[in-house]
């Protein structure tokens, strides 16, 4: 590995609506544990172990910042390295923010490399992934813009394709592998089945992975050549970086002037320096429940079971149970996903249309596309257990050492009952220590806060009562996480 610094840039945006009801706007698929012991974001970071690279830069939406921070903290990778996008503007601007930030951090003399990865991909063969990256580095050092093309395993109609051209030689080919990279002849959109079959048979096409490797300076140079409007808006946005805890905040107004454009359209399809390096590493973008079934370990009847599942005379199904027993009898080729507030049952051959269900839920003014019943916060989480006219019941979990903001509510009172752990409660000018089976009442308009001073999680039941019970009835006076 060269001494040139290599920065992994992890794009962690997107909503993943095709994996509803597990994936939601406020907790999309890249933050879920779908196929292993880590979340998809954490698996992306873990497969970098063994490569000589810097701490990752993660780009995410403002609303996901605390989820990302917690998942990085769990892996010891949190170093003020999360760039917040004020709004989604696709991959070309997101990568530009990272390139500008890395350039500022290193200075022009360093001219580091950027390995751009998506947070929601599955790669089974880490060694093959790392070899492809290592093989591509000399080309990126010489100024090429590398994209990684996945060696296809079938006539897939759900992916874009890259047609390869002639083999590309290095200017300084010392110890370089033979024919590891090819010129990009053409990018192709998602094909129909017959076209995909022709691509496969030709042997000249790869799936478009959306992974890239290049010098930060070369990406910015090509972006400014072809889309100066994007480059200029992003440069203005990072001109006044506002550090905030573990986050890098850019200028909102400047970034919102940025057009919505992918890196393929903005740069890769136009540059003369695009090359493709093949990668055969068991890759999947997990874009649907059927693709998750394909990559998961199956029983002798082809079933994938996650959670509390019992099946009889059933085969080739994907069944996920989050919080209750799910049973199947005599069914085949189904996807069944149970969460605390929704159930999906779909034919495995029609799972691409799950997004249409999400659209119907949204147009009906419901919330099941937006948020889970269980909601994560920087201090822990809460689960909405019950609700009715003028009351709500929640189970609140506060992590050891964490504290909710000092706050008050205009329209509701709260009653807290501790069921596990120890609570330190501020109520007006007084402080109380509560343990299991002890409770406290917070009247409407009373200033209060909740803290876990112990070594184990604090669990309590909160009963809200009043005329208005939503989360936006809150006035914060002091907050450890910079919220207002």
């Amino acid at each position: 590995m060269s001494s040139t610094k290599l920065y992994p840039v992890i794009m962690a945006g997107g909503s993943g609506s095709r994996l509803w009801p597990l994936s939601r706007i406020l907790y999309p698929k890249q933050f879920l544990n779908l196929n292993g012991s880590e979340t998809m974001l954490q698996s992306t970071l873990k497969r970098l172990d063994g490569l000589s690279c810097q701490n990752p830069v993660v780009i995410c939406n403002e609303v996901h910042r605390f989820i990302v921070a917690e998942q990085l903290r769990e892996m010891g990778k949190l170093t003020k390295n999360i760039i917040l996008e004020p709004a989604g503007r696709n991959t070309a601007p997101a990568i530009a923010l990272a390139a500008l930030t890395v350039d500022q951090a290193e200075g022009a003399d360093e001219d580091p490399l950027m390995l751009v990865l998506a947070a929601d991909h599955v790669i089974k063969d880490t060694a093959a992934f790392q070899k492809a990256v290592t093989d591509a580095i000399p080309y990126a050092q010489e100024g090429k813009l590398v994209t990684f093309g996945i060696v296809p395993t079938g006539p897939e109609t759900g992916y874009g394709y890259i047609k390869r051209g002639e083999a590309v030689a290095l200017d300084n080919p010392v110890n370089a592998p033979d024919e590891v990279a090819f010129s990009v002849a053409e990018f192709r959109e998602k094909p129909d089945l017959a076209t995909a079959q022709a691509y496969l048979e030709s042997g000249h096409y790869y799936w478009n992975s959306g992974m890239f490797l290049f010098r930060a300076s070369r990406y910015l140079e090509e972006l400014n050549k072809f889309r100066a409007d994007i480059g200029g808006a992003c440069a203005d946005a990072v001109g006044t970086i506002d550090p905030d805890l573990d986050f890098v905040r850019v200028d909102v107004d400047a970034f919102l002037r940025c057009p919505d454009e992918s890196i393929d359209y903005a740069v890769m399809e136009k540059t003369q320096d695009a090359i493709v390096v093949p990668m055969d590493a068991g890759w999947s973008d997990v874009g649907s429940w059927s693709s998750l079934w394909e990559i998961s370990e199956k029983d002798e009847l082809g079933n994938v079971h996650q959670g509390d599942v019992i099946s009889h005379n059933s085969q080739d199904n994907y069944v996920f149970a989050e919080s209750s027993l799910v049973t199947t009898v005599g069914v085949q080729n189904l996807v069944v996903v149970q969460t605390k507030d929704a159930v999906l049952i779909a034919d495995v051959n029609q799972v691409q249309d799950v997004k249409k269900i999400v659209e119907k839920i949204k147009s009906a003014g419901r919330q099941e596309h937006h948020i889970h019943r269980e909601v994560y916060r920087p201090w822990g989480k809460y689960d909405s257990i019950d609700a009715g006219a003028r009351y709500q019941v929640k189970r609140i979990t506060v992590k050891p050492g964490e504290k909710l903001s000092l706050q008050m509510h205009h329209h509701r009172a709260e009653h807290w009952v501790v069921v596990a752990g120890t609570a330190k409660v501020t109520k007006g000018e007084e402080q109380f220590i509560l343990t299991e089976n002890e409770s406290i009442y917070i009247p409407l308009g009373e200033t209060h806060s909740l803290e876990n001073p112990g070594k184990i999680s604090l669990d309590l039941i909160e009963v809200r009562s009043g005329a208005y019970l939503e989360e936006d009835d809150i006035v914060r006076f002091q907050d450890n996480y910079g919220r207002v």
Side-chain angles (χ1 to χ4, degrees):
M1 183 75 70
S2 167
S3 60
T4 303
K5 288 186 178 180
L6 174 64
Y7 278 86
V9 174
I10 315 299
M11 295 182 291
S15 59
S17 60
R18 287 185 179 89
L19 288 179
W20 184 88
L22 273 187
S23 182
R24 313 258 177 127
I25 290 176
L26 291 187
Y27 212 89
K29 67 173 181 175
Q30 58 267 29
F31 308 126
L32 297 172
N33 179 346
L34 293 176
N35 190 47
S37 58
E38 301 98 8
T39 69
M40 300 191 79
L41 169 61
Q42 290 174 327
S43 293
T44 302
L45 298 174
K46 188 174 181 180
R47 75 176 61 104
L48 296 169
D49 292 348
L51 287 175
S52 179
C53 54
Q54 305 301 303
N55 222 35
V57 175
V58 181
I59 307 169
C60 73
N61 191 280
E62 167 89 16
V63 297
H64 300 142
R65 66 193 187 278
F66 294 120
I67 301 172
V68 173
E70 180 60 25
Q71 294 194 4
L72 292 183
R73 184 181 291 110
E74 288 176 356
M75 300 188 72
K77 301 288 187 181
L78 184 61
T79 55
K80 303 184 185 300
N81 51 337
I82 302 171
I83 301 175
L84 301 181
E85 284 186 291
R89 287 294 187 267
N90 217 317
T91 53
I95 296 169
L97 292 182
L100 289 160
T101 303
V102 167
D103 254 4
Q104 285 186 5
E106 290 296 330
D109 293 339
E110 289 290 342
D111 200 9
L113 297 174
M114 290 171 45
L115 175 62
V116 179
L117 306 171
D120 58 356
H121 291 176
V122 168
I123 294 177
K124 291 186 174 181
D125 190 340
T126 298
F129 162 78
Q130 293 190 358
K131 183 179 187 304
V133 172
T134 303
D135 288 347
I137 284 176
Y139 295 90
Q141 288 175 322
E142 291 188 357
K144 299 298 184 182
L145 280 71
V146 180
T147 183
F148 294 94
I150 303 301
V151 177
T153 57
E156 176 61 55
T157 60
Y159 300 143
Y161 282 72
I162 301 170
K163 182 180 181 181
R164 81 181 190 196
E166 298 297 320
V168 176
L170 287 165
D171 294 337
N172 182 21
V174 177
N175 297 323
D178 294 331
E179 291 200 346
V180 71
F182 302 87
S183 63
V184 173
E186 194 174 4
F187 286 87
R188 296 283 181 87
E189 297 294 337
K190 297 175 183 178
D192 58 27
L193 183 58
T195 303
Q197 185 65 47
Y199 289 170
L200 185 66
E201 292 171 356
S202 77
H204 295 149
Y205 287 84
Y206 304 107
W207 292 338
N208 188 349
S209 70
M211 297 186 288
F212 306 92
L213 177 69
F214 35 64
R215 289 195 183 275
S217 63
R218 283 293 293 127
Y219 175 69
L220 294 173
E221 181 181 350
E222 295 296 274
L223 179 65
N224 285 313
K225 180 189 300 183
F226 301 113
R227 291 301 303 267
D229 53 345
I230 297 177
C234 290
D236 290 342
V238 301
T240 53
I241 285 179
D242 180 18
D244 174 17
L245 298 175
D246 300 303
F247 314 112
V248 175
R249 292 183 181 273
V250 302
D251 185 89
V252 175
D253 293 336
F255 188 73
L256 292 181
R257 294 198 302 269
C258 192
D260 184 310
E261 190 73 280
S262 73
I263 180 177
D264 285 347
Y265 287 131
V267 175
M268 298 302 290
E269 293 185 4
K270 298 180 174 67
T271 181
Q272 297 300 305
D273 287 319
I275 66 170
V276 57
V277 170
M279 180 184 291
D280 188 2
W283 174 91
S284 172
D285 74 346
V286 197
S288 67
W289 288 112
S290 59
S291 63
L292 186 56
W293 174 84
E294 289 171 359
I295 65 172
S296 299
E297 186 175 346
K298 304 169 185 65
D299 66 16
E300 64 277 6
L301 294 177
N303 296 305
V304 176
H305 292 166
Q306 299 283 346
D308 193 4
V309 180
I310 299 175
S311 289
H312 173 71
N313 194 29
S314 300
Q315 64 184 50
D316 298 330
N317 302 301
Y318 182 94
V319 186
F320 181 98
E322 181 181 66
S323 60
S324 69
L325 171 65
V326 175
T327 65
T328 65
V329 178
V331 299
Q332 184 175 356
N333 296 329
L334 288 183
V335 169
V336 181
V337 182
Q338 176 270 337
T339 67
K340 290 181 179 180
D341 62 349
V343 176
L344 168 72
I345 303 173
D347 187 300
V348 73
N349 296 310
Q350 298 187 45
V351 291
Q352 293 291 344
D353 287 340
V354 168
K355 62 180 181 179
K356 295 182 179 178
I357 291 293
V358 174
E359 291 167 0
K360 290 183 177 182
I361 292 171
K362 184 177 180 179
S363 63
R366 302 176 64 105
Q367 292 297 309
E368 288 89 347
H369 71 293
H370 187 74
I371 194 168
H372 281 277
R373 203 185 84 175
E374 190 170 74
V375 178
Y376 288 83
R377 290 288 187 258
W379 42 261
K381 62 183 178 179
Y382 67 80
D383 184 1
S384 299
I385 299 172
D386 192 15
R390 297 182 63 86
Y391 79 90
Q392 283 183 355
V393 182
K394 296 177 181 280
R395 182 186 180 101
I396 295 176
T397 300
V398 184
K399 294 180 292 188
E402 300 296 336
K403 179 180 180 180
L404 282 67
S405 58
L406 182 66
Q407 58 187 256
M408 60 87 70
H409 310 293
H410 290 295
H411 303 289
R412 71 173 185 254
E414 296 173 341
H415 192 165
W416 295 338
V417 181
V418 176
V419 295
T422 302
K424 180 179 180 181
V425 179
T426 298
K427 177 182 174 184
E429 299 297 322
E430 298 181 275
Q431 288 192 335
F432 304 87
I433 297 294
L434 306 179
T435 57
E436 293 178 11
N437 296 320
E438 295 184 325
S439 65
I440 193 168
Y441 176 70
I442 310 294
L444 183 152
E446 181 75 84
T447 300
H448 62 280
S449 69
L450 174 66
E451 182 177 356
N452 179 0
K455 302 296 184 181
I456 63 173
S457 292
L458 163 65
D459 289 324
L460 59 84
I461 301 299
E462 175 186 85
V463 180
R464 297 179 177 181
S465 59
Y468 184 79
L469 304 171
E470 300 305 317
E471 294 299 320
D472 57 356
D473 176 25
I474 184 170
V475 178
R476 288 191 175 95
F477 302 103
Q478 181 182 338
D479 184 68
N480 291 345
Y481 313 103
R483 298 170 299 172
V484 293

